[in-house]
Each structure stands twice: as C-alpha cells, then as structure tokens.
Amino acid sequence: MMRLLILGGGAIVTECHLPALRVLGLLSGCTVVEPFEKNASEVRRRFPEVQVLSTGYEEVLGGDLTEHDAVLVALPNSLHFDASQRALKAGRPVLCEKPLAMSAAQCRELDETSKRCGKPIFVGMVRRYLPSLTAMRQGLAAGMVGEIQSIELEDGGVFLWPSDTDTVFRKDQGGVLLGMGVHFLDCLEWLFGQLQPRGYHDDAMGGVEVNCDYRLQTQEGQPVALRISWTHALKNALRVTGTRGVLEMRKSDVTAAHWISNDGQIQAEVKPQKAFASGDWQLTFDACFVEQFWLLDRALRGDCDASQSLVTASQAAHAQELIEWAYQKSKAVLAGSHARPQLPAASVVVTGGTGFVGGHLIERLTELGMTEIVVPVRSFRSAANAARYPVSLRRYDLLDLESCRKVVRGARHVFHLAYGTGGAETAKITVEGTRNMLLACEAEGVESVVVFSTGSVWGAYDSDVDESSPMRPALADYGESKAQMHTETLAFARAQKKMRVSLIAPGAVYGPRGGLFCATACEMAKAGTFAWFDGGKGTCNFVHVSNLVDAAILAASRSEAHAQDFLIVDGQTTWREFFTPMVRPWLDRIHEVDSKAPIIQVSQRRSTLGSVARAVLMSPGLMAEISAHPLLGWFKEKFTRLFPQSHQRVQAMRPSVEYILKPAAASPQPAAWMADIFGVSGPRLSSAKAGLQLGWKPLVSLTDGQAGCVEWLSETQRLPVTEGVQSPS
C-alpha cells in the first residue's frame, strides 16, 4: 500500500486528494502536514484515518522519511519548488500540485535534482485524465476534424474556489494564467505538441491578472486562442475546427467530446471505450484524481507505462516558459487624467473594495499613484477584481471595533463603501458597521472619511429633491437602514473637530462591471424577464461610476466637504432611453407592463371534474404508475376485461399527439421587484450642492457612458456583438 506524506491540508487536499485516496483504500497510510489549526482540524474531522502533523513542512522533510513512499506537495504555489527540492534530496519521489515551480529554470532544476537523486518527480496536471479530453485526443487521432484550421479554448466564471486564505490572490502566487492557464497549456500541448507564443494581454494593474487573452500557434502554424477569466463566464469549451467538422470538449460535460459536421446538420457524441484504467468509476472530474493516484502507485512500483502517463518536470518546464513569456509581454499601465480631481499619494483604506464602485475607486487611486491601499474583506474569495491592483487584502469584521481599528491603522484617508447585503444582520452591518468604522477612524487619527450612502434615502418622493429635503427612504429595509446610517453619520461628523467626515449619495450607478444598471438588465432582457413599465417613461437618476469616483476624491480632499452630504447624479433620463443601448438585441421581446396592473396575471378558475379526469387520462406517466401499482393495476386489468367497450372509449379520449408534440415552453415573466426600481414614479435628484461646494461636474457623458457599457457587455459575451450606441428607438 502506497504511504503518502502530504504537505498541506487546504481545499485541494480535503476536496480532491483525500476523497480519491479513500476510494483507493490508501487513506490509512497518509500523513498530512498542516500548521494552520483550522485546516488541520478539518482534516481530522472529515478523515479520521489520516495522521495529521501540526507543524511546518521544513521540519518534517528534515527528519526521517522512511515511513513514507512518496511526498505530495500541496502547499501555496511559491513553496512548491523548495518543498519538492527538499523531498527529492531526502530520497523521496514527489507528486507536486501545479504549478511545479514559479519559473522554467526552477522546473529544470527540479528535473536535474530528480535525475541526480534517482527519484521521480511528477506534476499534478489532473485534467489530462478527463474522459472528454481522452475522447478528444482519440477523435483527433482518428481524423474526425480533418485538417485542423483553428483551436480555441475558453474557460471563465466567477471565482468560486473554496479556499479562503490570503494566498488566494497574493501576487507572489500568480494570477489566472499561472493558477489555471498552466492546466490548459498542458492539455493543449498534450493534444497538439509544443506551442509557440504569438501575443498576450491581461488585466493586471500592479496586482495579479484575473482575465487574460493568449494567442499561440502549433508547430504546423495552426492558430490557438486561449482566454481565461476569474470574473465572468466565457464559452467554457475547447473547440477544434477542421476541414471535416468541429470537435468540441465542453466544461459542462466531462463524459464525452462532441463532433459537429461543417454544415451543422450532423452531430455525434464521442466517448472513450474505457474512460479510466484504474477502475469503473463515475465519469466525473473527481474520478480523475483517483486515476492520477493509481498511476502514481503503479509508477512507484516500476510500471513504465504509468510513469509515461504522468506529467514530468521537463514537460512542465515548457508550459512555464510560455507563462513567463506572457508575463514579460504584459505591461499594462494606468494612464490617469490631469483633468480629473487629484489627491496626493497617501495610505488609503477602501471598505467594500471588492464591489463594483469600490473596484473603480481602487483603479482611480492606483492612477493617482497610491501604493498603500488596504482593502478589508470578509472573504478573500470575493476579491478577484480588487486583486488586479497593488492592494493589501486583509480580513476584518465590521461588527468588531478592534478589527476595524486594525485595518485603518496608519491610514490617511478612508472610503467606506461596505454595507449589509443580505441575511439576518443586513441592517446591523450597515448601521453598526459604519458606526464602528467611524469610531475606529477617530481612534486611529485618520484625516478624512468619505461614507457612501444612496439616493434611495429620498427615493419615495415624486418631485424635485435636494439634500435639504426630509428623508423618505424607498426600497424597504435597504433604504431604511441606509437612512439611519446617513443620519447617524452626519451627527457624528458635526461633533468632529479634527477628522473630516462627509457623505456622498449617488443615484443609479452604471458603467463597466456594473450589475443592476448594466449587466443585470442585459441578462434579464436576454432571458425574457425584463420589462418597460408604462412605456419605460419613469425617471432614471443616473451617474457614471467614474463621475461618482470623482466626487469621492473631491470629498476626501476638500475641507468644505466636512459634515456635509452630497447627492451625486449626472442628470435624468427615462429608463427606456437609459437601458435601450444595453438591451438592443432583445428590444422586440421586452414586456410592456401597465404599472396599475399586476405583473403576473392570475387566470380564472374554470376547470371541471371532467377536465381533471381527461388530464389524468392524458398523462402517460400517471397511467404507467397505475399499471405498476399492485392494487390499482389489478383494478385496471379487471376493468379492461369486464368492460372492453368502455375501455376502448376511455382509450379514445387519449390523443396520440401527446407522444409527438413537445410541451409548450412557459413564457418568462418579469420579476415583481422591478417595479420598485424601474417604475414610473420617482424623484428628480439635484447635485447642485456638489457643484457649488466641491466644484464637481460629470466628465463622462451619458452617450459615452452607455458606449462603455456596451463595449464591456460585448467583451464579456453578454451582448452578442459589439455595437455602437444608437439613439433609443
């Protein structure tokens, strides 16, 4: 039985490695080395058969390893090289999680160490064992696509990895290309041979990349396009186009590849005769880890075929060379505009920095030369976009005053955007969390605090509104809690003698990466659930996210802003004019709703006992169940024999078309909540005070802002094509 020493007890070990080893009956021979008690406790709880050592890997590798047949390295990426080197020099074979190392030179050094020590080292490129990839490789070898013309691989979605530690988006661990791209480059080279790089672009702005676009080619010159995202969905498929058809491997289906003829008229499912050599497992991604450990066990016993089925250090080195080439080509530079408000470089904290507005604020602060930007987070998993910038991610708890003090300590400016977004403590986080943040800033000597409120605290008006108007919050608990927070913050600010505190209250914030007023509307229109209320003539108080960020920078820098609140809107338009460019492909499918009528009409009850009986008789599933029932089936057979003519009349009532016609698809309906936000009534918010006291004015026009939204929606494949903004129809 193979006895593994496993270095690391994080998510990859608990979710993938240990379950696979359990299937093979190898758990009792495993020892997990995990210094963090939270992770170690989780391993003990879920896998009691495993021995757990709560110590550092260096200490264990410096001791006696004779009780272990091999070492599995599952540490943070930056530790892979050191741990693998130590294990090899200690005389143990190694299976290292990807990436093998942080550079091609380190990969080659490990290869040399392996040869010198006479112990093999393999890399955990587990996607090679996907049944769908095996099917694709066999289909290509059989010539199913003919002469290859192009290769495209896209993999994208919101970052969902269960690990929640500060290493997730740390710059020394690499971004999406190193984290996931190394898998895809390995698969592509396994299928098509070594690739040559041609062009690369990513979105890193001093942090890690979370979106990248890599262009390569095969040795025969066929173009290869690789796109990866940690922020939004892509096509999620590997597609090989040739002279005889298309062979496609879909992320949603790991069981098979799919062949499509060039004219699209013929399709076929392609499956391997035997998916796994290790056993007859379910065709899942998890089973690939079983295959990998089975191959490792056989390789350690001297099986050459098993060794050749595992990825070697020299193979990993070439994939790493491609990644290094790409990173050298990525030279993204943020170009700030002198026309925009300025703020001298200083230490800054942005709560809510993982959100839409917070992300744009961090981008502007980076443009302004800020190198000390702290972004407090409740979960590191949500920080993909923020990690693109040179920020320090720190876990905190808004409901704990001391936790708030720690994250603002040493800061000159604090921008507080965080608020409750759901759950039992939503209002508490909004109100008490803001209270804690203000007290923390006061205690730590922060110079200025800008708190983000919302125009919804005046949302129940249907007339002109400015900051002097009494608050009438809309949107139920959200508006009520924001109004309470707003009132408390102003009172706190007026009592301050040293620290400047101000509030900004935006209208409908839109722009690239926006949700409710950009992507959500587009996605709902595509799904058929978007609606115009009374022709879409309701009032939209819009503000482009860049203009809102300008207001925040001005509020932080101007002494006149202290103890003041500012409504921030670019202007007003109708909802129809505002959204039309973003939903243009589906304009003919958008519902028209009368605001005085319910969104979903309730039909009159007109059914009779006879129609119910006919419905029962027309249900083949129900009749089959009756036939199979011991008692009801006996009565049915008795009835058929005793009353043959009556049985024939009953059978005649069942139309034959039920076996032919597809059931009518349910018509999608708009959601009821839309009326509260996109309805007809509403205030006209004024930003005159911000113009007079801060010198603020919107620099991004509505037309340019809409065009930017359309461009981003097209880039993220939410819109079918990139279109220029046209006047609303």
Side-chain angles (χ1 to χ4, degrees):
M1 179 177 69
M2 180 173 63
R3 301 167 301 172
L4 273 180
L5 176 65
I6 303 174
L7 307 182
I12 187 66
V13 172
T14 56
E15 302 304 318
C16 302
H17 291 148
L18 293 178
L21 289 163
R22 173 177 279 164
V23 168
L24 292 171
L26 299 174
L27 268 191
S28 60
C30 292
T31 299
V32 172
V33 179
E34 176 52 67
F36 296 104
E37 185 52 38
K38 181 180 178 181
N39 290 347
S41 297
E42 181 68 4
V43 174
R44 292 189 186 99
R45 184 185 69 82
R46 292 179 56 183
F47 307 95
E49 314 97 308
V50 172
Q51 181 184 3
V52 180
L53 302 178
S54 298
T55 185
Y57 75 90
E58 302 96 333
E59 180 181 345
V60 175
L61 291 180
D64 182 9
L65 301 183
T66 55
E67 293 184 0
H68 309 290
D69 299 314
V71 175
L72 169 61
V73 178
L75 298 164
N77 294 346
S78 57
L79 301 178
H80 286 187
F81 171 73
D82 180 64
S84 297
Q85 275 279 50
R86 289 172 184 259
L88 288 171
K89 290 179 179 179
R92 297 296 92 185
V94 173
L95 172 64
C96 181
E97 261 299 325
K98 60 79 193 170
L100 176 59
M102 303 301 287
S103 70
Q106 288 182 336
C107 291
R108 286 190 287 269
E109 186 175 341
L110 287 172
D111 189 36
E112 289 299 318
T113 303
S114 168
K115 293 173 182 175
R116 187 169 59 252
C117 296
K119 299 297 178 182
I121 182 168
F122 303 110
V123 190
M125 299 293 192
V126 73
R127 278 170 171 75
R128 280 201 183 189
Y129 312 117
L130 286 168
S132 52
L133 191 68
T134 301
M136 173 163 275
R137 193 170 193 235
Q138 293 173 351
L140 291 171
M144 292 186 70
V145 302
E147 184 179 340
I148 295 175
Q149 297 172 320
S150 65
I151 302 158
E152 300 172 273
L153 196 164
E154 292 194 8
D155 185 272
V158 176
F159 185 84
L160 292 175
W161 184 243
S163 178
D164 190 19
T165 67
D166 62 350
T167 60
V168 171
F169 294 114
R170 217 168 63 196
K171 191 172 181 180
D172 66 343
Q173 305 303 306
V176 71
L177 180 62
L178 185 64
M180 288 305 300
V182 67
H183 267 307
F184 304 131
L185 289 169
D186 175 72
C187 289
L188 289 169
E189 293 205 321
W190 189 56
L191 292 172
F192 307 107
Q194 285 197 350
L195 303 176
Q196 299 172 337
R198 284 292 174 261
Y200 177 79
H201 173 75
D202 67 34
D203 62 352
M205 298 292 180
V208 300
E209 79 286 354
V210 296
N211 290 277
C212 69
D213 188 339
Y214 203 168
R215 304 292 158 153
L216 309 101
Q217 71 177 33
T218 66
Q219 296 292 332
E220 291 74 30
Q222 294 123 344
V224 179
L226 173 62
R227 293 187 67 201
I228 323 172
S229 174
W230 271 342
T231 63
H232 59 272
L234 294 174
K235 293 177 182 177
N236 290 330
L238 168 57
R239 186 180 179 91
V240 182
T241 302
T243 54
R244 297 180 60 186
V246 175
L247 196 58
E248 188 173 76
M249 170 186 159
R250 301 164 188 166
K251 187 175 182 178
S252 60
D253 181 10
V254 303
T255 67
H258 301 267
W259 179 84
I260 308 166
S261 63
N262 280 333
D263 59 8
Q265 298 302 303
I266 306 174
Q267 300 185 31
E269 191 176 67
V270 184
K271 291 186 174 182
Q273 189 70 28
K274 184 174 176 58
F276 300 111
S278 55
D280 188 18
W281 317 118
Q282 292 187 54
L283 304 185
T284 63
F285 176 65
D286 298 319
C288 297
F289 286 89
V290 178
E291 182 82 353
Q292 179 176 252
F293 283 122
W294 182 83
L295 289 169
L296 176 64
D297 187 30
R298 293 181 67 86
L300 296 180
R301 297 170 187 268
D303 187 325
C304 294
D305 290 338
S307 296
Q308 291 173 0
S309 297
L310 294 162
V311 179
T312 65
S314 60
Q315 291 171 324
H318 190 260
Q320 196 65 41
E321 285 175 357
L322 294 174
I323 292 171
E324 287 180 24
W325 185 93
Y327 280 164
Q328 290 169 0
K329 293 293 180 182
S330 179
K331 303 292 183 183
V333 177
L334 284 169
S337 170
H338 294 294
R340 293 201 172 279
Q342 302 294 302
L343 189 66
S347 55
V348 180
V349 173
V350 181
T351 73
T354 62
F356 162 48
V357 177
H360 282 271
L361 176 57
I362 291 169
E363 182 174 328
R364 180 64 56 77
L365 294 171
T366 304
E367 290 175 356
L368 291 171
M370 309 290 183
T371 57
E372 297 179 56
I373 305 173
V374 173
V375 179
V377 297
R378 282 176 281 180
S379 169
F380 292 102
R381 290 192 295 265
S382 63
N385 183 66
R388 297 169 50 212
Y389 304 97
V391 302
S392 173
L393 300 171
R394 299 182 192 173
R395 196 192 300 275
Y396 82 134
D397 180 0
L398 260 178
L399 298 180
D400 182 280
L401 178 58
E402 183 56 32
S403 177
C404 293
R405 289 191 63 170
K406 286 180 179 179
V407 295
V408 302
R409 191 163 293 155
R412 182 175 178 184
H413 304 288
V414 172
F415 297 88
H416 179 55
L417 290 79
Y419 64 95
T421 57
E425 295 189 320
T426 295
K428 189 176 182 181
I429 291 172
T430 298
V431 178
E432 186 178 324
T434 301
R435 191 183 304 146
N436 283 339
M437 187 55 61
L438 290 170
L439 291 171
C441 291
E442 180 185 35
E444 296 298 330
V446 172
E447 179 181 313
S448 76
V449 183
V450 179
V451 177
F452 281 65
S453 182
T454 171
S456 296
V457 301
W458 291 281
Y461 283 90
D462 58 2
S463 57
D464 291 349
V465 169
D466 63 21
E467 294 86 347
S468 65
S469 305
M471 290 184 185
R472 293 183 186 173
L475 304 180
D477 292 345
Y478 168 78
E480 292 286 351
S481 62
K482 279 284 193 177
Q484 183 181 346
M485 178 274 291
H486 192 120
T487 302
E488 284 193 17
T489 299
L490 277 179
F492 180 91
R494 290 170 186 142
Q496 291 297 306
K497 301 301 181 184
K498 295 182 179 180
M499 184 173 71
R500 299 195 309 274
V501 180
S502 57
L503 286 122
I504 56 175
V509 189
Y510 77 106
R513 303 196 298 276
L516 184 60
F517 302 107
C518 184
T520 301
C522 175
E523 290 162 358
M524 291 180 70
K526 184 177 182 180
T529 58
F530 194 70
W532 303 126
F533 292 85
D534 289 356
K537 64 183 181 182
T539 302
C540 171
N541 293 279
F542 63 91
V543 55
H544 191 271
V545 64
S546 290
N547 297 332
L548 175 60
V549 167
D550 285 349
I553 298 296
L554 286 167
S557 62
R558 299 289 181 89
S559 60
E560 302 95 313
H562 176 56
Q564 299 293 323
D565 55 352
F566 302 95
L567 274 164
I568 306 296
V569 295
D570 298 347
Q572 288 80 32
T573 187
T574 66
W575 288 113
R576 193 178 196 113
E577 291 170 339
F578 178 77
F579 278 126
T580 289
M582 303 172 220
V583 301
R584 188 177 302 281
W586 308 284
L587 283 176
D588 59 344
R589 296 166 45 189
I590 293 178
H591 298 265
E592 296 281 353
V593 176
D594 182 350
S595 63
K596 298 180 178 61
I599 294 178
I600 301 176
Q601 299 290 338
V602 180
S603 62
Q604 297 295 321
R605 294 179 176 174
R606 298 175 182 172
S607 178
T608 65
L609 288 175
S611 62
V612 171
R614 282 191 293 274
V616 170
L617 291 169
M618 286 190 294
S619 171
L622 180 58
M623 296 308 292
E625 289 298 318
I626 289 174
S627 298
H629 191 276
L631 183 59
L632 296 178
W634 180 84
F635 276 119
K636 180 183 174 185
E637 292 175 3
K638 191 83 169 177
F639 175 81
T640 301
R641 291 196 301 270
L642 293 177
F643 308 102
Q645 292 182 339
S646 297
H647 177 255
Q648 289 176 3
R649 284 196 298 272
V650 170
Q651 289 292 91
M653 293 174 64
R654 300 179 64 190
S656 60
V657 293
E658 68 185 72
Y659 297 104
I660 301 173
L661 296 180
K662 292 182 179 179
S667 175
Q669 296 293 324
W673 60 262
M674 291 180 60
D676 295 332
I677 299 175
F678 308 138
V680 176
S681 62
R684 292 177 60 86
L685 305 177
S686 170
S687 291
K689 180 180 176 181
L692 288 172
Q693 294 191 18
L694 298 180
W696 175 82
K697 61 180 179 180
L699 298 180
V700 178
S701 69
L702 177 59
T703 301
D704 289 344
Q706 289 170 315
C709 286
V710 169
E711 182 180 2
W712 175 75
L713 290 168
S714 299
E715 288 175 354
T716 56
Q717 302 182 13
R718 290 175 171 90
L719 280 175
V721 292
T722 302
E723 300 181 5
V725 175
Q726 304 171 25
S727 59
S729 56

